[in-house]
Amino acid sequence: MLKLENITKSFNGTTILDQLNVDVNDNSILSIVGPSGAGKTTLLRCIAGLDRPDSGKFILDGKEFDPADDSDTEQIIGVVFQDFNLFPHLTVMENVTLAPTMVLKQDKKAAQETADSLLDELSLASHANQYPFELSGGQKQRVAIARALAMKPQILCYDEPTSALDPSLRDAVGKVILDLKKTGITQIVVTHDPEFAKNISDQILEVKPINK
Amino acid sequence: MLQYISEILPSLLSGTVMTLKIFFWTLVASLPLGILVSLGRSSKFKPLSWILSFYIWVMRGTPLLLQLIFVFYGLPNMPFFHIVFERYDAALFAFILNYTAYFAEIFRGGFGAIDNGQYEGAKVLGLSYWQTIRKIVVPQVVKIVIPSIGNEVINLVKDSSLVYVIGLGDLLRAGNIASSRDVTLLPLVLVGIIYLLLTLVCTWILKVVEKHYSYYR
């Protein structure tokens, strides 16, 4: 179980997150919803270790950990960014295998086998040798998911997974997320779309802008 | 005339070898150094960034000719320390210092064009800073800076002629000597043609490199 305790974060004196507490059960899907500026993405960035909260604790299975500390090779958090942040100069296959070979020191063949099965599950097998610019938005997103999953994270976070896609693809992402749940991974989804959140989540956290 | 050309060609070609040696070693050293200096300049460690900004300001703000003279004639006569270079080493030293500064500025623009999302994408995958620079950032920066680097590379072919001032026998000097000895402009015409051929080859190589990097957008 992932526990967030008293997470507080402010930028230039404006408090964005104030003493926030959440518990996320293993193998569940938590959606974080709320209007723009409410701190959804800030919270996600803190969980992902891209921003450091001013105070508060992250506890995974009873042990405190620091998401911003990347000296640990074991991957706790994976992230699928809003605009995916794929590496444009690498093929789909290279995007997925780069971190496993460089960070986890897997040999190339093992990394490619893992990547092959991930791409297959995400129906990307035929795109393995293409470059990101040759893919549609939905395909890019699935590459981003495969890239994150290749590091075998315990928790996978999504920042606005529906915003860069046209409405018809919204349900497709929802299905991918629900399918992944069956593999035992915990997922956290930031979204401004309450209906989408309701369809996929076990638990919904509503964040509101803090009024002073 | 053909006989005259064949008489002076050997000396022109040996001058060309000197020109190419300076050209080649300057590029080999100052391209990677330029990357390091541009990274250092954007370092959060302020003293490093200030020193490198000062260095770039001096290198870009004074003529290369002056820098050459200073390195060869000036450094040995400093009040407290004496650095004596061979002519060739002095030329290389000055060229590398000067071109590193220009390349650093070009690379700075290239690094600035890389979206922050690329760094974040690499960070959440657990890549270290240097892994990110090497595998993610630099390959993309190279593609962005090729046209500007190409400009400087072609400048370098011609700038190398400045080494005559410290008495190195490069292509232009070889042509000059033949021209004043034989009282004819023909050697200088040949020198011009050789420079044109050199820059033509550079342009062609740059085009190939540019094409190589067009595999992605």
Side-chain angles (χ1 to χ4, degrees), chain A residues 24-79:
Chain A
V24 193
N25 287 322
D26 283 346
N27 195 16
S28 72
I29 300 174
L30 165 75
S31 286
I32 304 171
V33 297
S36 300
K40 305 187 294 284
T41 297
T42 304
L43 178 58
L44 190 86
R45 289 176 61 85
C46 288
I47 297 172
L50 292 169
D51 282 332
R52 215 178 258 278
D54 302 330
S55 64
K57 282 183 196 166
F58 298 93
I59 299 158
L60 185 71
D61 301 330
K63 267 192 288 183
E64 192 178 340
F65 75 104
D66 177 6
D69 174 17
D70 43 24
S71 61
D72 204 349
T73 49
E74 196 185 337
Q75 183 102 21
I76 297 173
I77 312 282
V79 183

Side-chain angles (χ1 to χ4, degrees), chain A residues 45 48-50 68 70 75 77 79 81 85-89 98-99 102-103 105 131 133 147-148 151, chain B residues 115-128 131 134-137 139-140 214-217:
Chain A
R45 289 176 61 85
L50 292 169
D70 43 24
Q75 183 102 21
I77 312 282
V79 183
F81 292 93
N85 296 346
L86 296 179
F87 306 130
H89 61 302
L98 180 78
M102 296 207 68
V103 181
K105 311 285 177 209
Y131 288 90
F133 79 93
R147 185 176 72 172
M151 292 299 283
Chain B
D115 186 68
N116 201 27
Q118 294 288 304
Y119 292 93
E120 294 189 339
K123 183 171 162 52
V124 297
L125 288 169
L127 269 71
S128 70
Q131 286 175 329
R134 228 176 64 231
K135 291 284 178 177
I136 308 297
V137 180
Q140 295 183 57
S214 66
Y215 69 85
Y216 74 92
R217 285 199 281 271

